Amino acid sequence: MAAQRRRRLRATMQNLMVSSPKEENNKTTTSLIDKLMGLLRVHVKRGVNLAVRDVRSSDPYIVFKMGHQRLKTRIVKKDVNPEWNEYLTLSITDPNIPIELTVYDHGTFTKDDKMGDTEFEVSPYIKALKTHTNLDEIPNGTVLSRLQPSASNCLAEESLIYSKEGKIVQDLILRLRNVECGEVEIQLEWIHFPGSKVFLSR
């Protein structure tokens, strides 16, 4: 299992190696890895009470976007309360860029229909990572920060950032916009790797 994780991490790092355009009078190129703060693992748990887009149900999947990154979950057939239980990994270079989610209904013979969208900011989570560096001294389950639902975010209920088995995680239940109903449940976890800007060690 650990070897499998290492292989996936190496593959992710190779995908991140992209060159920037040439600068004036300078032929040097910069790779994304130079700006990389770390990797964000998103545990896509489930959808709750999603909209019906077929006759009686939907075949939902989620597309995640952050900057130029685009990832998507598998399709769950005929289920408006889908259990994805899937992990996606995003590279974080700027914590101020929001992560956007759009839920779609997969159409076999027609265009995929939108089933709402939502977004969340990663900056409160990264702030908690920077603040709480000595995880060995924090008891498991300790709540480090709370975010409340408001008109300026898509939270359906209070979001907790807390310690879990030597890591800091954040649970989010996100309300879908531009649709009649639906929520998406996810959990965030930070991934460190050799050579990254690991601010937890500062």
Side-chain angles (χ1 to χ4, degrees):
M1 202 71 174
Q4 219 173 24
R5 269 196 224 101
R6 281 196 297 273
R7 280 198 298 274
R8 279 200 301 267
L9 186 56
R10 276 197 298 271
T12 303
M13 295 307 301
Q14 285 169 355
N15 290 337
L16 293 175
M17 298 298 290
V18 294
S19 295
S20 66
K22 291 179 183 178
E23 296 178 1
E24 251 180 75
N25 304 320
N26 191 347
K27 293 186 178 180
T28 59
T29 57
T30 312
S31 68
L32 181 60
I33 197 91
D34 296 329
K35 301 174 185 175
L36 192 61
M37 294 177 68
L39 301 176
L40 184 71
R41 176 180 287 156
V42 182
H43 181 189
V44 189
K45 293 185 173 181
R46 63 184 66 86
V48 179
N49 191 30
L50 300 182
V52 173
R53 286 293 178 266
D54 295 332
V55 179
R56 293 182 181 173
S57 190
S58 295
D59 303 328
Y61 66 92
I62 305 177
V63 173
F64 284 73
K65 287 184 183 176
M66 185 185 194
H68 297 295
Q69 299 175 79
R70 185 181 186 277
L71 300 169
K72 76 175 192 175
T73 66
R74 63 188 172 85
I75 298 163
V76 178
K77 294 285 188 180
K78 298 186 182 345
D79 199 341
V80 291
N81 293 287
E83 297 274 347
W84 281 288
N85 194 27
E86 198 168 332
Y87 293 86
L88 303 176
T89 303
L90 292 159
S91 58
I92 304 298
T93 56
D94 183 350
N96 297 311
I97 299 174
I99 298 174
E100 301 170 2
L101 288 72
T102 305
V103 183
Y104 290 93
D105 170 44
H106 175 70
T108 307
F109 303 109
T110 58
K111 185 180 177 183
D112 294 356
D113 294 320
K114 281 189 179 181
M115 297 170 61
D117 61 85
T118 187
E119 67 176 21
F120 66 93
E121 302 281 345
V122 76
S123 50
Y125 176 63
I126 289 181
K127 183 180 177 183
L129 290 172
K130 288 181 177 180
T131 304
H132 303 281
T133 56
N134 297 320
L135 292 177
D136 294 338
E137 298 173 9
I138 301 173
N140 190 45
T142 301
V143 175
L144 307 172
S145 185
R146 299 171 187 265
L147 289 132
Q148 301 300 326
S150 72
S152 63
N153 63 42
C154 295
L155 294 175
E157 56 185 67
E158 183 180 60
S159 173
L160 300 181
I161 301 173
Y162 60 98
S163 63
K164 180 184 178 183
E165 297 170 359
K167 299 175 182 176
I168 294 176
V169 299
Q170 180 179 4
D171 289 336
L172 299 109
I173 300 178
L174 300 166
R175 178 179 24 85
L176 293 173
R177 306 172 295 196
N178 305 310
V179 70
E180 57 269 30
C181 58
E183 297 173 354
V184 173
E185 295 184 22
I186 62 173
Q187 185 179 79
L188 309 182
E189 180 188 326
W190 193 255
I191 302 174
H192 300 283
F193 58 91
S196 71
K197 296 179 179 178
V198 184
F199 43 72
L200 283 182
S201 62
R202 291 178 187 174

